[in-house]
Amino acid sequence: MSDEPVKKLKQKLSDDNVVPIAAGNPAKAESLAIDQSQLDEYFGDGGAESSVAGYGRPPKGVFFTVMPEPTPQWQNRGFYWILEIPNRDPYFVTPAIAKVKAGEDVLRPLLLVRYVTMAGDEGLWPIKLNPPDGRANLYNSSARNIMEIAANGTPATKDKPARPGPLWVRLVSANGYYEHIVSPITMEESPPQFTNRTFAELVAAVSEGRIVDTLDHEVWSVLSHGR
Amino acid sequence: MAADFDDREIICQRIVIPDSEFDARKNMGEPPGPPICICAIEIGPNGLILHKLAAPYPRVPPWHRDDPYLTLGFALGAEAGSYLHAGWPFPVPAIDLYAEYMVIHNSEMSHINGSKDPGPSLLQACRRYGIRPTIDEARKEQMRELAFSKTDHTSEEIAVLQDYCLTDDCQNTLDLFLKMRSRIDFLRAPIRGAYMMELERVRWRGIPIDMETYARALRQAPKAASAMRAELNRRLGAEVYFHDIFKRKTMFAVMRRERIPIPVDPKTGTLSCATKLIKGMVGTYPLLGVFYEYKRMIDALRSLKLEIGSDGRNRRWLNPFGTKTGRNNPSTNRYIFGLPHTMRSFIKPGPSMALAQLDIGNEEVGVAAALSRDPQLIADYLSGDVYREFAKAALGLTDVSKRQRQVYKGCVLGRIYGMGAKTLACNLGISREEAGRILQMMKERYPILHEWLDRVLLKVAHCRPIVCKLGWSLTPKGKSGEMTSFMNYPMQANSAELLRLIFIRAAHIPILGCAHDSFLIEDTIERIEQTVAEMREIILQAARDLFDFELRVDCNPDTDIVRWPDRFIDDREREDGMKHWNWLMELINEQGDTDPAEAVDLAGRSRSSAA
């Protein structure tokens, strides 16, 4: 072995205090066993920021939150005309075109709400609006209510004190509607990792290449001819 | 749990990074060849010492002195082979950076659908940590070629290989260690390091195979598979195999005809009759059981590739930490325990030797009882048959039928696996309402278990890591469909932690192989029962130490210990009356007649030898 690698090694070792090291004794493994009551403990940790945004209901298995909107000028939610065709990503239709195509039953206004999960995944939650005439869909109503609870908290009840929002909540499917579970973890204990992107930027990320702003867009042909 | 904190740490003033060059004889079923050289970097208070050794090796390594030192390596199993050749004891404590990489990066390597990326090579791990390796792939290949292509190396060639050991593997391992150091759990890493080396000892021993029968099976596999396909078509009344090609849609038609629900593959969302999906249904639908057994046998015969050495023993890398639960993940067609249970009867002890299989009984339920501390589940587990106890209580009977037990077994396991009423009803052939009712009864009987499972899910919903007893962990990614796969994660992953502890404590027991919850051991006919008793006590003590709970260890001396000239028989095959094995023997008979020496009675004894 030439001297050069040895010199490098010596330099490296003088830079790093490698020893002494306290290592576990495998013969005493029983004293190293981790108490499983850690299942009741939570640890906050940071994570990488995503450059993409999801579109859809927050995953049911995970807690998420949304931003409150204290002023009438919403910053993190908005109404959009969305055209949904099975097995295709949604199309964002401009209001002028939507007015012309109002008769299409797959075209409807949705409330898009910015959410982030505890894992730091950010997305837009499309909440369908109940039609002004006709029966309310309980999935739509409950989703909207849960979104408001996530943003603004829960009022005091006979049994529980009020919890101000925003809160970490989780969706649970019930029979024909959504229930929700509120996490005991507070926003201080586990701050939501919303990215620095604006709501408009999120919408732009989700709608990129899927904006319908003309009457000769290919999507109308798909709807007319099934292709 | 014993809590002797005084000596749970070993203060090491030196670290030693050994590396050796040898012919690994990869994929050949042989133990690794003897080391051409063994080298090491030793770092201590007195600076740096480089060790270069070649055969003959000293009785103990030159760095092994009175004071404790930490051994570091990447995939220490390779070095373990050289230690075994040199007759050196395995070093303690030792940290394997491959194992630590798998621990640290388990979450990023695991996918929601259950698969996991393969473990890295040393160079890949170095790149992951931004280390520029000191050697490129071409040079590495050149050195491998030099090491593997011959056995009579000149002193100059040995010197080249020694320099390569020190400047390549040892130095890259040191660089990697310095980068990974802040993320390593030094208290528990030596348990994994010891496990990695013990696994190599197990692989080294190998599993004895009845080579005459296996060789015939290999020669006759196409003929046997063809006969099985024809028979399966006949039994199902449809050509599910058409010109030797499996026709999934035909199988769907058979299932619809027989009113058997077709499962949906959770990965693809499409209908599927994959054996792993229908496994839970075979007890309910006998025809599906026929399909399950035949299909697995046909698939195994099509790709029978057991790696067997010249001594007739099956040796295969067990791919430690190869799943997200930290279980081993060996090949399904190169390792005998990956084959259908019928084919495990290729295992046969040599003259004057005996084999024993020890199972941890209902391990996942036992671990669930231990972790949740549900008193009723603990009591039912300790009764010896948790499913029967639950069924008896639920039905208000003093005893229950096999079918009733099976339904309640499906419910207990199903709940732990996160099944809902719909899947359970599908698997058990009962109505959704009935499945829901049984699940509710289970919730009422084991309320503490349910609360504990809910807490696990709550933690998953918060995307917090689930950390097991010895530090293996997995962090949820917050994606849809993740909760179900996390439901039994604490049971499976903690069982894997237990297995590791058993392995390092049973270093002196001749373990030949293992499945997730069972061990195959070998000893002389005279000593086997004593060795079984010793192994049983090690398993029980390890469970007591990890879980403060005594799991059950099953080893029936009449059925689970086989002595030459008998062959190994898996319990399920025995329960089936050996019919699959006996039929396989008929099919591979080259003379066209049943060879009486191969037909086996229920004791696993071939009829001729019994006579």
Side-chain angles (χ1 to χ4, degrees), chain A residues 3-30:
Chain A
D3 286 346
E4 192 54 32
V6 178
K7 274 185 195 167
K8 277 186 187 171
L9 260 178
K10 284 185 173 168
Q11 178 61 43
K12 192 192 305 279
L13 296 174
S14 65
D15 293 344
D16 293 279
N17 293 320
V18 178
V19 287
I21 288 174
N25 182 355
K28 297 287 172 187
E30 68 274 18

Side-chain angles (χ1 to χ4, degrees), chain B residues 135-144 160 163-164 167:
Chain B
I135 193 167
D136 59 26
E137 293 284 359
R139 168 80 174 150
K140 199 169 180 72
E141 201 47 50
Q142 192 186 355
M143 289 295 105
R144 280 188 184 141
V160 169
D163 276 356
Y164 160 69
T167 56

Side-chain angles (χ1 to χ4, degrees), chain A residues 1 12 23 32 38 40 183, chain B residues 10 163 175 188 455 462 467:
Chain A
M1 189 178 181
K12 192 192 305 279
L32 302 173
Q38 47 91 23
D40 294 329
S183 168
Chain B
I10 301 171
D163 276 356
D175 288 342
R188 297 169 188 90
R455 282 209 305 280
H462 283 89
V467 184

Side-chain angles (χ1 to χ4, degrees), chain B residues 105-120:
Chain B
H105 299 286
N106 184 38
S107 300
E108 73 180 48
M109 294 167 78
S110 299
H111 303 286
I112 293 168
N113 60 18
S115 63
K116 183 174 173 180
D117 294 336

Side-chain angles (χ1 to χ4, degrees), chain A residues 1-2 5-10 12-13 15-45 57-64 117-121 168 170 181-185 189-191, chain B residues 1-2 4-5 7-15 41 43-44 48 50 52 70 92-93 163 166-167 171 174-175 177-178 181 186-188 190-191 371 452 455-456 458-459 461-471 477-480 483 494 501 504-505 545-546:
Chain A
M1 189 178 181
S2 70
V6 178
K7 274 185 195 167
K8 277 186 187 171
L9 260 178
K10 284 185 173 168
K12 192 192 305 279
L13 296 174
D15 293 344
D16 293 279
N17 293 320
V18 178
V19 287
I21 288 174
N25 182 355
K28 297 287 172 187
E30 68 274 18
S31 65
L32 302 173
I34 296 169
D35 183 359
Q36 292 297 286
S37 63
Q38 47 91 23
L39 280 169
D40 294 329
E41 299 169 3
Y42 303 103
F43 309 92
D45 58 353
R57 170 178 48 71
K60 281 192 225 162
V62 64
F63 284 97
F64 68 93
T117 67
M118 268 202 174
D121 291 333
W168 288 110
R170 180 159 79 85
I181 294 171
V182 178
S183 168
I185 303 298
E189 289 168 316
S190 182
Chain B
M1 186 188 300
D4 185 358
F5 290 94
D7 51 3
R8 73 174 197 167
E9 284 184 13
I10 301 171
I11 308 298
C12 302
Q13 296 293 343
R14 297 181 288 136
I15 66 170
I41 293 177
I43 301 158
L48 179 74
L50 303 180
K52 296 181 181 180
L70 174 65
V92 177
D163 276 356
L166 289 170
T167 56
Q171 193 169 335
L174 175 62
D175 288 342
F177 170 68
L178 294 174
R181 183 166 51 173
F186 280 92
L187 279 180
R188 297 169 188 90
I191 296 170
L371 294 176
W452 181 79
R455 282 209 305 280
V456 172
L458 191 67
K459 186 155 187 175
H462 283 89
C463 303
R464 297 301 190 264
I466 306 275
V467 184
C468 300
K469 282 282 184 180
L470 296 176
K477 295 179 179 171
K479 305 293 183 197
S480 288
M483 287 200 127
N494 275 299
L501 185 57
I504 62 176
R505 288 186 174 178
D545 286 345
L546 266 199

Side-chain angles (χ1 to χ4, degrees), chain B residues 306-375:
Chain B
L306 286 184
E307 290 178 6
I308 301 174
S310 51
D311 57 356
R313 296 175 85 96
N314 174 218
R315 294 183 183 85
R316 174 69 191 173
W317 186 53
L318 292 180
N319 191 4
F321 308 101
T323 68
K324 63 183 176 184
T325 59
R327 285 174 161 182
N328 300 331
N329 191 18
S331 161
T332 52
N333 62 348
R334 295 171 187 269
Y335 184 54
I336 188 80
F337 279 100
L339 296 183
H341 58 260
T342 297
M343 293 187 176
R344 293 183 187 174
S345 287
F346 285 125
I347 300 173
K348 189 174 179 180
S352 80
M353 299 303 284
L355 299 171
Q357 179 166 261
L358 291 93
D359 283 309
I360 303 177
N362 303 131
E363 187 181 25
E364 285 185 36
V365 178
V367 173
L371 294 176
S372 69
R373 313 307 298 180
D374 185 302

